[in-house]
Amino acid sequence: MAGLAIAMDLGTSGFRAQAIDRSTGSVISTAITTRHPLPGANVMDHVHFALDLGVETAQRLIIRAANRVLASLGVPLEEVGRLALCGNPTQLALLQGTEIRDLAFAGRRKLRALGVLDQVREARVLEARALPDLDLPVGCEVLIPPAVRHEVGADALAMIIQSGILERDETAISTDFGTNAEMAIVHRRQATTGSSAAGAALEGQHLTFGMLAVPGAISDLEPEPPHHRIVQLDDRMLPIAGSRIDLERPGPIEAGAPRPAGITGTGALAILEQAIDSGLVEPPRISTADARLHLGEEIYLSEEDVVEAGKAIGAVRAGHITLCHEAGIALDQVRTAYISGASGTYVDARKAQRLGLIPPQVRTVYQLGNTSLAMARDLALVPGTLERMSALARQLRQRHCLFGASPVFKRVFLLELAYWVEGMPLSQYREFLARYGLPALRPPSALPQVVRTVERDLGELGRLGLKTVSDPARSVQWRFPGCTGCSLCLADCPEGALSLSGRGAQALISLDPSRCDGVGCRRCERACPEKVFRLDELFRG
């Protein structure tokens, strides 16, 4: 038996992995990516890319990124005997190069017309040789866990198992705060699951200065009247005090504190909550002189960012209300909340509750860290874990709510959009809930007890520490016949994913796929005056 195992979480926003000594169960090292290798910032972007360019192209980019993560772990890969994976159904399907059309289209009639059979994503055990070009021994065992439904996967099972929510006699809710907010409500020991497309803001993406939870990111904001103090992540992914700032003006109030690199999702939530509390924000408007909330000399939150964060909050709260309706209870009956993921780790739970991300009458909040990575560790080390996940998946399929088909979710999410995007008063929101026959949305009545079970979302980093992969997909280059090197494609790229070397007919265009906004954007193609730029060629390069 090879002496090493790898646990890997394939998330929508990036990959996280740990090398493990199988004889002792101890973590040796940790590696993370700062972005996902595929273009776009959410599951549908990734599915769209794979449908346009082919599953094989998406699989190649994902395996290339996985190899970069594996190499960054700093262990002899020839000694790895097991790779245990966890993640959502889209990421696991693309890694394997299997059917994804059922993840893209809703409705059995549409899928039948496309010739797509019902996909039941059960657990699988493969050999590494089945995954082309994966840098592990050909006989290395690869464990792939099951999904509940097409939009609720192994990461949701991980959240439920790692929280222990089914083992307690309580009315509780668990939520994995991320681009896809998987959630489950348990009442009388029966679980109802769902998944809300919260969007990328909870992970720090689609914000002007947004970034994932990596060293240097602003993760929180604490009041120091009449000002505030930044909290940011250090090189060990632990929160530390940063500069004291004035939200209304650029620049720090004091010198000497570490310079932040950007704002992660939890930082954006904290800034928004503190600004609402200070009277600087009444969604979606910011009442400062320049309509910005300043976090230093160059970093700020804009009104567009407030809208992005608000839509994410609204999607989560609408999901919570819908699950409570499905379970036959009021939101006020939920007394315990479990939150996971990087955002669920670094968010200030009390600020999150005041924003609406945690039900208002919850009395205890457990912050669990990255339960998907923790589940992958258990898969790598604990016999019977894959079978346990399979049994739970079969059980949960009986009580799953598809939010896209729920009239309650649609009505509540429209109210959330009206509040966060259109500025509808909260009092009017509550009137509409009563008109729809839904329970009242009350403000929190007391501060909940917060139990942090981990220091950082990754758990122990191991004796070799943490390595960060900032370019998981590696740039590709292409020379387009007829290109004049005018650089208009670079200027029009909203994410700065393109670069140019050479001039005239020798112009060589480079693309970082992980920075690209996705094949639904193509602003670079439209900007080309010669109409010779072809985005697809860069992805196939």
Side-chain angles (χ1 to χ4, degrees), residues 355-377:
L355 285 172
L357 285 162
I358 294 172
Q361 302 307 312
V362 160
R363 295 290 177 264
T364 308
V365 181
Y366 293 90
Q367 294 182 266
L368 306 173
N370 187 326
T371 51
S372 186
L373 183 59
M375 196 79 247
R377 287 196 299 267

Side-chain angles (χ1 to χ4, degrees), residues 98-150:
T98 55
E99 178 67 76
I100 61 162
R101 287 176 295 171
D102 63 307
L103 304 173
F105 303 103
R108 291 191 175 186
R109 183 177 300 175
K110 174 68 174 179
L111 293 174
R112 280 199 298 268
L114 292 171
V116 180
L117 301 175
D118 285 344
Q119 299 292 312
V120 180
R121 301 180 186 277
E122 301 288 6
R124 300 180 71 192
V125 180
L126 310 174
E127 288 189 342
R129 73 177 84 238
L131 301 176
D133 301 319
L134 185 66
D135 290 343
L136 289 174
V138 293
C140 174
E141 186 179 54
V142 181
L143 274 60
I144 299 173
V148 179
R149 290 292 185 192
H150 74 278

Side-chain angles (χ1 to χ4, degrees), residues 155-477:
D155 45 1
L157 295 172
M159 173 186 68
I160 293 169
I161 292 172
Q162 296 292 321
S163 68
I165 190 172
L166 287 172
E167 300 164 14
R168 301 180 179 92
D169 189 14
E170 60 184 1
T171 297
I173 199 161
S174 62
T175 311
D176 187 346
F177 286 164
T179 305
N180 267 6
E182 291 87 5
M183 54 189 72
I185 191 162
V186 173
H187 179 61
R188 295 178 178 171
R189 298 210 175 192
Q190 280 200 318
T192 306
T193 60
S195 177
S196 186
L202 288 182
E203 299 274 16
Q205 299 180 84
H206 284 187
L207 303 174
T208 308
F209 291 93
M211 62 190 303
L212 298 183
V214 297
I218 296 171
S219 62
D220 200 356
L221 187 71
E222 292 292 349
E224 283 193 10
H227 303 297
H228 292 83
R229 187 171 295 279
I230 286 170
V231 177
Q232 61 193 72
L233 301 178
D234 68 8
D235 290 341
R236 300 170 298 152
M237 294 289 285
L238 295 175
I240 58 170
S243 300
R244 194 157 58 101
I245 53 93
D246 184 341
L247 286 173
E248 297 188 62
R249 297 171 184 83
I253 293 173
E254 59 190 15
R259 188 183 183 92
I263 308 170
T264 193
T266 62
L269 295 174
I271 296 161
L272 178 57
E273 190 276 335
Q274 286 293 292
I276 291 173
D277 186 62
S278 302
L280 296 176
V281 169
E282 186 170 335
R285 301 298 172 214
I286 298 175
S287 61
T288 60
D290 59 358
R292 293 174 176 176
L293 300 169
H294 294 277
L295 285 305
E297 293 182 20
E298 301 172 351
I299 298 173
Y300 59 81
L301 213 65
S302 68
E303 289 185 342
E304 291 80 7
D305 298 332
V306 169
V307 168
E308 285 298 315
K311 288 189 293 187
I313 295 165
V316 172
R317 181 158 59 184
H320 287 171
I321 292 172
T322 303
L323 280 189
C324 286
H325 178 79
E326 290 290 316
I329 63 171
L331 195 64
D332 284 354
Q333 290 178 250
V334 181
R335 291 290 183 267
T336 306
Y338 301 87
I339 56 179
S340 61
S343 296
T345 303
Y346 299 114
V347 73
D348 182 316
R350 290 166 178 167
K351 294 187 183 83
Q353 187 182 54
R354 289 192 287 270
L355 285 172
L357 285 162
I358 294 172
Q361 302 307 312
V362 160
R363 295 290 177 264
T364 308
V365 181
Y366 293 90
Q367 294 182 266
L368 306 173
N370 187 326
T371 51
S372 186
L373 183 59
M375 196 79 247
R377 287 196 299 267
D378 285 354
L379 280 168
L381 296 171
V382 181
T385 299
L386 195 62
E387 291 76 11
R388 182 185 181 190
M389 294 183 76
S390 294
L392 180 58
R394 289 192 292 271
Q395 175 188 338
L396 294 177
R397 286 170 194 151
Q398 308 306 312
R399 293 179 61 87
H400 173 71
C401 178
L402 181 64
F403 289 162
S406 166
V408 171
F409 182 85
K410 293 175 184 177
R411 284 181 167 180
V412 177
F413 187 54
L414 284 175
L415 292 179
E416 291 287 344
L417 290 179
Y419 172 68
W420 289 107
V421 181
E422 304 297 333
M424 183 179 75
L426 196 56
S427 58
Q428 192 174 354
Y429 181 122
R430 292 184 173 119
E431 288 175 9
F432 273 103
L433 284 178
R435 188 178 303 177
Y436 294 151
L438 296 170
L441 185 65
R442 299 183 179 88
S445 58
L447 292 176
Q449 177 190 6
V450 179
V451 181
R452 296 181 61 89
T453 64
V454 292
E455 280 189 302
R456 59 176 75 82
D457 69 312
L458 302 169
E460 293 298 321
L461 299 179
R463 58 181 173 81
L464 297 183
L466 173 68
K467 298 292 184 183
T468 301
V469 180
S470 59
D471 54 343
R474 288 193 182 277
S475 294
V476 291
Q477 297 180 322

Side-chain angles (χ1 to χ4, degrees), residues 459-527:
E460 293 298 321
L461 299 179
R463 58 181 173 81
L464 297 183
L466 173 68
K467 298 292 184 183
T468 301
V469 180
S470 59
D471 54 343
R474 288 193 182 277
S475 294
V476 291
Q477 297 180 322
W478 204 261
R479 182 170 284 115
F480 293 97
C483 174
T484 63
C486 69
S487 300
L488 290 178
C489 56
L490 276 66
D492 222 35
C493 176
E495 301 299 329
L498 295 170
S499 59
L500 179 70
S501 60
R503 295 184 178 183
Q506 299 304 310
L508 192 65
I509 294 177
S510 299
L511 168 75
D512 182 346
S514 69
R515 291 186 182 275
C516 177
D517 220 11
V519 292
C521 173
R522 297 186 185 272
R523 286 171 57 174
C524 48
E525 286 189 353
R526 292 193 294 273

